[in-house]
Amino acid sequence: MSRKMRNLLILLGVLVVIGAIEYTVGGGWKMARDEYSRITGQGMPAGAHYLMQPFTLPQPIGPKDAKLRIEFFFNTRNGCHAGMAQGAASAFEKYKDRVRVVFYDISSEQAQKKLAGYPKGCEMAGLINGLMSVRMPGKREPIMAESLVGKMGPPADVNKFVAWALTPEGQKSLAQQRKAFEAERKRRLEKEKAAAAKGKSGPGAPPPPGSLPPGLKQPWEHAQPGTTPPPSGGPSGTHHAPGQH
């Protein structure tokens, strides 16, 4: 592997780690540069800071009571999304008298409440009248909200979509699709609440401290005959699985 490729892989690994940390522009970037320099012994390549650069979301567009409401959620700490956010604002500018477009930081509390029960990632999402995807007559595949900014599937024809969505037929279809999805979303929320109520005993919860994988015994379980076993629950302190020191 070439040195250039090795450094690129290291850079990507550093960005993933640093991107998961809450940071300010100066502090976070300095941390990334210091970590990269420590690992590679050289400075971070010029221009790499673009990926770490937070950006400001565009202002809302259109009337609050518009019949078509589109909401975009972006990770504002990922500079790669700045162009998509601005592109979405520009694309819908000509519909500002009929369409409401709002932008959110996907990590904000407001966004998390709006997206509760929706299948989502941590980078970006989109909603069209409360739907992540919309079925439109004459289209084999549903239109993904994110496709309106060039993500998730083939780019949507914004002009045709907006024209259809604002017709009485389009409004009726959107309302029916939203009603069907709401039933699914409520079921998903109930499952999430049930899992949260179980706490540490729920499926997928981490094992209790000091526990071992199935089939392995604690050291005191291998005590020789005649020795005194420890109190119930095992002795205090840190123990190792057989063969581990």
Side-chain angles (χ1 to χ4, degrees), residues 5-236:
M5 180 59 72
R6 179 175 60 83
N7 289 343
L8 178 60
L9 292 176
I10 293 174
L11 170 61
L12 292 175
V14 171
L15 291 177
V16 170
V17 174
I18 301 300
I21 302 174
E22 291 290 337
Y23 62 95
T24 61
V25 177
W29 175 234
K30 183 177 185 301
M31 188 185 303
R33 286 187 303 177
D34 292 345
E35 183 65 8
Y36 184 85
S37 298
R38 183 184 69 79
I39 296 174
T40 65
Q42 58 186 309
M44 189 174 283
H49 68 282
Y50 176 74
L51 298 176
M52 301 288 292
Q53 183 67 51
F55 65 96
T56 302
L57 291 169
Q59 291 298 308
I61 299 170
K64 293 182 179 180
D65 60 349
K67 294 181 178 180
L68 181 59
R69 181 183 178 90
I70 301 176
E71 297 167 294
F72 292 115
F73 304 81
F74 292 100
N75 176 3
T76 59
R77 294 172 180 79
N78 185 344
C80 290
H81 293 175
M84 287 186 285
Q86 200 57 54
S90 299
F92 285 96
E93 179 66 25
K94 60 182 176 182
Y95 306 110
K96 62 183 179 181
D97 60 327
R98 294 166 287 164
V99 180
R100 176 71 171 175
V101 183
V102 187
F103 301 87
Y104 300 92
D105 182 338
I106 199 169
S107 63
S108 68
E109 183 178 353
Q110 184 182 19
Q112 292 303 306
K113 287 181 179 179
K114 280 183 167 291
L115 293 173
Y118 288 87
K120 58 184 181 297
C122 60
E123 288 294 306
M124 67 177 296
L127 296 178
I128 301 171
N129 279 21
L131 294 163
M132 283 190 161
S133 63
V134 172
R135 290 202 170 275
M136 181 178 169
K139 294 285 185 179
R140 173 180 289 184
E141 299 295 331
I143 294 177
M144 306 297 293
E146 292 180 33
S147 71
L148 298 177
V149 290
K151 298 287 288 184
M152 293 293 292
D157 187 322
V158 177
N159 290 326
K160 289 184 179 180
F161 173 74
V162 171
W164 168 79
L166 291 176
T167 63
E169 293 78 12
Q171 287 289 297
K172 181 179 179 180
S173 179
L174 288 172
Q176 291 174 339
Q177 292 182 57
R178 176 66 186 274
K179 183 178 179 180
F181 174 74
E182 274 302 301
E184 176 187 341
R185 189 177 76 90
K186 288 179 180 178
R187 286 193 295 269
R188 189 180 292 113
L189 282 172
E190 289 301 320
K191 289 183 179 179
E192 292 177 1
K193 290 179 181 179
K198 290 182 179 179
K200 294 184 179 181
S201 62
S211 63
L212 296 175
L216 293 181
K217 296 182 179 181
Q218 295 285 5
W220 58 83
E221 295 180 294
H222 295 269
Q224 297 299 318
T227 59
T228 302
S232 175
S236 60

